Amino acid sequence: MKSNGRLISFESHIVDDVVKKAGGKYTASQVRDVFRSSVSYINNLCLYSENTEVSIPYIGKMVCNMVEMKNRHHNLTRLKNKIGCIADFQDKELFVLGIKIDDIYDYVKRNNVKNGNMLIKYNKSSIFKSRKGYTFKEIQSIQDQEFNF
């Protein structure tokens, strides 16, 4: 796969590139719909299936995070106990989270998993540290200036 060295970081860049490569055969709205449905499908695989990792060809992997899953499991359990029932999709998510958390604990016990592994990393503190005091809008502005978008 040939690369022109350009970094793509925004949905609009991906959509524009695909529309150009297709020679106008598809509209930007059609490409955006397909792109968003792909991202939604990947998210749903992580939320509602027993997968802890989803491989995306030519892009990388999306890894579930145990800390985030434990927080979500706690919140759903608390909601279920407080109200008495939750929606079907939330019940499915709660069931799957229990399985995935147990699987990850077993995996961590069997293997030497380092603290920086995305599977068990505490993301919130890492995101805060990596931003170095900038807001996300400021980071986007810096990115735009840096890459001449």
Side-chain angles (χ1 to χ4, degrees):
M1 179 180 266
K2 186 179 177 186
S3 173
N4 63 1
R6 179 175 163 233
L7 295 176
I8 297 176
S9 58
F10 301 110
E11 176 184 297
S12 59
H13 300 151
I14 295 169
V15 170
D16 292 342
D17 282 354
V18 171
V19 168
K20 285 177 191 173
K21 287 180 182 177
K25 184 176 179 183
Y26 305 104
T27 66
S29 147
Q30 290 171 320
V31 172
R32 188 175 299 104
D33 288 344
V34 170
F35 176 75
R36 287 181 178 170
S37 66
S38 300
V39 171
S40 177
Y41 179 69
I42 293 164
N43 284 329
N44 286 338
L45 277 175
C46 287
L47 282 174
Y48 304 116
S49 74
E50 295 175 8
N51 297 323
T52 56
E53 183 175 285
V54 176
S55 178
I56 307 157
Y58 306 108
I59 296 176
K61 294 178 182 179
M62 184 170 178
V63 180
C64 294
N65 181 269
M66 188 171 63
V67 176
E68 298 293 327
M69 289 190 302
K70 283 172 46 180
N71 290 339
R72 179 69 176 158
H73 188 274
H74 172 75
N75 289 337
L76 286 173
T77 303
R78 195 180 61 166
L79 182 65
K80 188 174 185 176
N81 292 337
K82 186 175 182 179
I83 296 175
C85 67
I86 52 178
D88 289 339
F89 72 92
Q90 290 173 320
D91 200 33
K92 170 74 174 173
E93 185 181 358
L94 183 61
F95 173 74
V96 169
L97 282 172
I99 293 171
K100 289 197 284 192
I101 291 169
D102 291 340
D103 285 348
I104 292 172
Y105 272 128
D106 290 341
Y107 178 73
V108 169
K109 285 179 189 174
R110 285 189 319 248
N111 299 313
N112 186 15
V113 178
K114 296 181 181 177
N115 286 338
N117 189 314
M118 291 306 294
L119 196 60
I120 60 170
K121 185 176 184 180
Y122 184 59
N123 288 329
K124 289 188 178 171
S125 65
S126 299
I127 290 171
F128 180 75
K129 288 176 188 173
S130 69
R131 285 186 7 218
K132 297 180 182 173
Y134 292 110
T135 66
F136 286 111
K137 285 189 177 191
E138 290 171 331
I139 291 170
Q140 276 189 331
S141 298
I142 293 168
Q143 225 176 6
D144 281 341
Q145 292 171 359
E146 183 70 27
F147 298 111
N148 299 319
F149 291 129

